[in-house]
Amino acid sequence: MSIKKFVVGLYDDEAPLFDAVKQIRKEGFKIHDVYTPYPVHGMDKALGLRETSLHTAGFIYGMTGTTIALSFMSWVFTTNWPLNIGGKPHFPLPSLIPITFEFTVMCAAVGMVLTFCYLCKFAPFVRKHHFHERATDDKFVVVIECTSDSTEADATATLAKLGAAEINTQIAESEWWFGTYDKEEKKYTEQDLVKAAH
Amino acid sequence: MSVIKYESAVRGPLIDGTKDYHQITEDILKPIETTPSKLWKIGFTIAVLLLIFGVYSVYREVTYGIGEWNINKTIGWGWDITNFVWWVGIGHAGTLISAILLLFRQGWRTGVNRAAEAMTIFAVICAGQFPIFHMGRVWMAFFVMPYPNTRGPLWVNFTSPLLWDVFAISTYFTVSLLFWYSGLLPDFATIRDRAKIKWRKRFYGVAAFGWTGSTKHWQRFESLSLVLAGLSTPLVLSVHTIVSFDFATSVIPGWHTTIFPPYFVAGAVFSGFAMVQSLMIITRKVLNLQEYITMEHIEVMNKVIVLTGSIVGIAYITELFMAWYSQNPYEGYAFYYSRANLFSPYGWSYWGMMACNVISPQIFWFRKLRRNLTVTFFMSVLINVGMWFERFVIIVTSLYRDYLPSSWSYYYSPSTWEIGFYLGTFGLFFTCFFLFAKWFPVIAIAEVKSILKKSGNKYKNEELRHELENDSIEEFTKKFSHH
């Protein structure tokens, strides 16, 4: 549980978004996140996010698959149950390549998708707070977190200056919780915020 | 920010009409948010009836044994494996479109990738039924799994192409499913956030896994799709290669050829694209998506069809040449007596295949015909008939007269339940596809949005105007790109 206060700025177009994000960061605000309906390229860099290492994880999973497949099959054919198939070699490497390859791909893909879901906290019945319901449709949402250094008024003023079409303040749970989307979301007040701080 | 998202004005727009982001969402989600049309209900009913007939056919085969089919000791594979290879082949276009075209940065894939991937998954499900039920005692199917058992421990034969197939098909199915579903997450979230009805909000909320559209999630999402595309590219090539190994590693004349892997892969792409065309031409019309699956899309797919069809044609001719050049009497018999000879028992199937796969697609050299919907639809069906004949020719004409004349089989025609099984997989495929068209966004909404300002009609026209006015391209991209 971490209930926080956010100032939410809404943009109709992605064009002013980059300059706005840059300016907001320059002025020392903490951007909680930017929500977009499609991947806006370069936004991760503008936000100063580091490159994801998901692909490295994928490589490691793949190599694990290669090792398991190859060592298992060679153990079966040479140690556990050596079969004489027409006098052919017990360790026929070329014939083991197809399964090794398939298993490598399988491990890499499954491992990566699971890691992706784990990192992003994606699972069935997971619910998260939505700052704007059209962020998955056509709106671009910049969310500034209110901290001791940046007050609600400051953030609102900055967003207004930077051309946000709509600005509001929300107190919300910033993590995920179990739940379905047909239920009303719990409303938090200033008191909850104070309680959460302690 | 510095990347210029400029696309040549020579390329036609991939999104017609004057769309904005919201309009795209509205258009693509319309079928999901409205009750299905009468046409949908009729189609779905027919598909379910076919499926029921298929289930009954399979029930007979399981209950009374493989003798319910007309396959015999000589033609052991018959329709069953023909249908298997045919469906697997069709299942190749989806991953080709979503993976290989992603790596090649082809913008047009966004219009058709979702439906093509769905088609891939359904086709692979259909394909899988055939080898499983061909086992006869299907309750023993788990024997193909490598597990320590009570007979040894005796393991499966890892050096057999048939086992490679088990791994290839199951990996292909799993990876395609993951690729498809991870791509669906943002679109499910879009449906969820628009939903007014309670159950829809709940259902798509669960399906969307809690997607929010966060920048960090998009970054990981893109990395995931890129790596999955990179993995799927060799995978899709490996799957039909391995299917061709089922034949090529044997010593049957007509199968024992090194040309099989590339020839099968080209054939798979060929038939897969034909199936995508058949489905897309109907889907875009019924769901009113002509502005997203444009003539531009149809035309590029026809170009792929004429390319792969010609590759397949070269493979056919190469086979004939090698049969003559090798001077191997068995090869010569298989190719010149059993196949290319129109007056042999199965000569009709060889020439049917040649006409459908090699000769007829050549009409797509003409732009006018590439952009003609009726011609394209007719051709797409014809190609799939031809590709079915190809697998039939390979399997039956090589088997029916083997090395021992006393075991020659004169003529093989399928039994009702053999045909019923095949029709049943059509039922399964179209039942799945109809459900998909109703409950899933048939076009990847987020991906279409990402090309809107590059290939949308409105922006394209603007671009052209700027070019005519000799505006600097930097000025234009500054105005319109989101980079």
Side-chain angles (χ1 to χ4, degrees):
Chain A
M1 287 285 277
S2 56
I3 296 156
K4 288 172 186 166
K5 192 178 193 178
F6 301 99
V7 176
V8 180
L10 202 66
Y11 286 84
D12 291 328
D13 198 64
E14 71 276 30
L17 211 56
F18 283 101
D19 291 333
V21 164
K22 273 189 182 164
Q23 195 56 36
I24 293 166
R25 287 186 67 207
K26 216 180 194 172
E27 293 188 13
F29 290 104
K30 184 180 174 193
I31 297 188
H32 172 68
D33 215 331
V34 175
Y35 299 93
T36 56
Y38 70 89
V40 177
H41 290 162
M43 185 48 77
D44 50 342
K45 289 199 181 65
L47 281 171
L49 299 174
R50 72 175 183 89
E51 197 56 52
T52 171
S53 19
L54 198 58
H55 43 267
T56 316
F59 179 76
I60 294 166
Y61 294 129
M63 285 300 106
T64 314
T66 315
T67 317
I68 292 173
L70 207 56
S71 52
F72 176 73
M73 287 189 290
S74 36
W75 171 75
V76 165
F77 278 157
T78 58
T79 314
N80 188 243
W81 195 269
L83 269 180
N84 186 342
I85 307 167
K88 286 175 190 166
H90 282 306
F91 182 64
L93 187 58
S95 315
L96 303 183
I97 288 172
I99 289 181
T100 309
F101 169 75
E102 300 297 336
F103 199 67
T104 304
V105 171
M106 176 83 105
C107 288
V110 173
M112 265 186 82
V113 170
L114 290 179
T115 311
F116 169 72
C117 287
Y118 172 73
L119 290 174
C120 300
K121 306 287 177 279
F122 286 156
F125 298 101
V126 158
R127 185 163 178 184
K128 289 166 193 161
H129 175 71
H130 282 229
F131 292 96
H132 198 281
E133 59 176 13
R134 279 175 78 165
T136 51
D137 183 357
D138 62 342
K139 301 287 184 233
F140 300 80
V141 180
V142 180
V143 180
I144 300 175
E145 190 184 319
C146 295
T147 59
S148 49
D149 300 333
S150 50
T151 62
E152 184 188 338
D154 287 347
T156 312
T158 308
L159 280 169
K161 190 179 72 191
L162 294 169
E166 194 186 309
I167 303 160
N168 60 51
T169 310
Q170 296 176 25
I171 298 168
E173 167 66 60
S174 63
E175 303 284 319
W176 62 279
W177 65 94
F178 282 114
T180 53
Y181 280 85
D182 54 332
K183 303 261 171 11
E184 275 296 313
E185 201 177 320
K186 196 181 163 194
K187 296 261 187 299
Y188 292 103
T189 55
E190 294 281 349
Q191 276 113 28
D192 295 313
L193 198 65
V194 178
K195 240 187 272 168
H198 290 292
Chain B
M1 293 257 318
S2 60
V3 184
I4 294 174
K5 236 190 178 183
Y6 169 69
E7 212 194 43
S8 164
V10 178
R11 288 183 192 274
L14 293 170
I15 305 164
D16 281 342
T18 48
K19 304 288 180 199
D20 56 25
Y21 294 132
H22 184 63
Q23 194 58 40
I24 293 177
T25 315
E26 290 280 342
D27 289 349
I28 297 175
L29 295 187
K30 199 157 179 237
I32 299 173
E33 293 169 346
T34 51
T35 47
S37 65
K38 208 169 179 181
L39 219 59
W40 185 91
K41 284 177 187 156
I42 295 169
F44 184 68
T45 312
I46 296 172
V48 171
L49 288 176
L50 273 177
L51 176 61
I52 293 169
F53 183 51
V55 170
Y56 181 67
S57 306
V58 170
Y59 161 78
R60 294 207 45 123
E61 188 265 332
V62 172
T63 314
Y64 302 109
I66 208 95
E68 286 288 279
W69 295 349
N70 281 351
I71 53 170
N72 50 46
K73 196 169 178 309
T74 312
I75 305 173
W77 279 5
W79 265 50
D80 189 84
I81 300 299
T82 300
N83 300 337
F84 159 67
V85 181
W86 188 76
W87 275 121
V88 171
I90 285 172
H92 273 61
T95 309
L96 186 104
I97 289 174
S98 51
I100 299 183
L101 298 183
L102 176 76
L103 297 184
F104 282 131
R105 301 259 180 253
Q106 294 292 305
W108 64 270
R109 59 178 274 286
T110 55
V112 288
N113 65 346
R114 171 68 47 73
E117 282 171 40
M119 187 204 76
T120 288
I121 291 161
F122 306 147
V124 173
I125 294 173
C126 291
Q129 307 310 314
F130 290 100
I132 289 173
F133 286 102
H134 192 264
M135 289 175 184
R137 284 184 280 176
V138 71
W139 50 93
M140 299 294 189
F142 63 92
F143 276 21
V144 300
M145 292 298 156
Y147 69 102
N149 53 51
T150 52
R151 286 157 286 140
L154 191 62
W155 299 95
V156 285
N157 184 3
F158 294 109
T159 60
S160 161
L162 298 178
L163 191 75
W164 300 347
D165 236 2
V166 172
F167 277 85
I169 305 280
S170 49
T171 304
Y172 185 57
F173 176 72
T174 312
V175 175
S176 302
L177 192 68
L178 292 175
F179 201 0
W180 183 64
Y181 199 83
S182 58
L184 272 164
L185 293 177
D187 292 357
F188 280 153
T190 307
I191 308 175
R192 174 198 67 201
D193 293 345
R194 279 166 55 87
K196 300 276 176 290
I197 308 167
K198 215 168 172 197
W199 72 261
R200 188 181 290 149
K201 215 161 182 77
R202 186 185 171 94
F203 177 77
Y204 288 104
V206 173
F209 284 16
W211 178 273
T212 53
S214 148
T215 305
K216 187 69 195 174
H217 295 174
W218 276 123
Q219 184 204 40
R220 291 191 186 119
F221 176 87
E222 293 231 292
S223 166
L224 179 75
S225 342
L226 196 64
V227 178
L228 282 183
L231 288 169
S232 303
T233 300
L235 179 66
V236 70
L237 301 179
S238 86
V239 172
H240 227 56
T241 298
I242 289 175
V243 171
S244 84
F245 283 164
D246 292 346
F247 300 92
T249 56
S250 72
V251 287
I252 310 283
W255 292 6
H256 189 62
T257 54
T258 47
I259 199 180
F260 260 31
Y263 156 27
F264 267 51
V265 171
V269 174
F270 181 53
S271 66
F273 268 82
M275 192 55 126
V276 174
Q277 291 282 41
S278 308
L279 293 176
M280 284 298 105
I281 288 173
I282 298 172
T283 309
R284 73 199 278 274
K285 175 99 186 117
V286 174
L287 302 185
N288 217 352
L289 294 170
Q290 286 99 326
E291 287 175 330
Y292 298 94
I293 303 165
T294 62
M295 284 317 292
E296 206 65 31
H297 290 93
I298 307 272
E299 190 186 356
V300 271
M301 288 197 279
N302 279 338
K303 284 180 184 167
V304 177
I305 285 178
V306 72
L307 169 74
T308 47
S310 305
I311 295 175
V312 168
I314 290 170
Y316 294 162
I317 296 164
T318 310
E319 278 187 324
L320 288 180
F321 171 77
M322 288 311 293
W324 164 78
Y325 188 66
S326 66
Q327 286 295 301
N328 179 324
Y330 301 107
E331 289 284 326
Y333 187 82
F335 281 100
Y336 290 102
Y337 181 77
S338 299
R339 292 186 186 175
N341 171 9
L342 187 59
F343 302 104
S344 71
Y346 293 106
W348 54 270
S349 59
Y350 185 83
W351 287 103
M353 161 191 107
M354 273 289 190
C356 296
N357 291 351
V358 186
I359 299 160
S360 55
Q362 303 305 325
I363 64 163
F364 284 146
W365 288 106
F366 302 100
R367 181 181 152 93
K368 215 171 177 166
L369 295 170
R370 282 201 302 269
R371 297 181 81 95
N372 183 318
L373 284 180
T374 321
V375 171
T376 304
F377 185 75
F378 177 72
M379 282 304 303
S380 66
V381 175
L382 199 68
I383 287 165
N384 267 321
V385 172
M387 285 309 289
W388 189 88
F389 273 133
E390 181 199 292
R391 279 64 179 251
F392 181 81
V393 165
I394 291 172
I395 290 171
V396 174
T397 63
S398 275
L399 287 177
Y400 84 114
R401 288 182 181 178
D402 64 4
Y403 294 105
L404 191 67
S406 65
S407 63
W408 283 8
S409 149
Y410 176 63
Y411 206 79
Y412 158 74
S413 54
S415 73
T416 314
W417 311 119
E418 229 168 332
I419 298 171
F421 188 12
Y422 183 45
L423 292 179
T425 52
F426 272 97
L428 178 62
F429 181 82
F430 283 104
T431 304
C432 292
F433 196 82
F434 276 111
L435 290 175
F436 163 75
K438 173 67 189 86
W439 303 111
F440 290 64
V442 286
I443 292 175
I445 307 172
E447 291 196 39
V448 168
K449 283 176 187 165
S450 71
I451 64 157
L452 176 68
K453 299 215 167 162
K454 187 174 73 162
S455 300
N457 190 28
K458 193 164 117 192
Y459 300 92
K460 207 87 204 183
N461 286 340
E462 196 77 13
E463 192 174 294
L464 201 65
R465 196 174 58 74
H466 273 263
E467 230 164 60
L468 292 175
E469 287 169 8
N470 282 328
D471 259 7
S472 77
I473 196 66
E474 283 75 21
E475 214 166 282
F476 170 74
T477 45
K478 204 172 167 200
K479 191 171 164 205
F480 281 102
S481 81
H482 56 254
H483 275 279

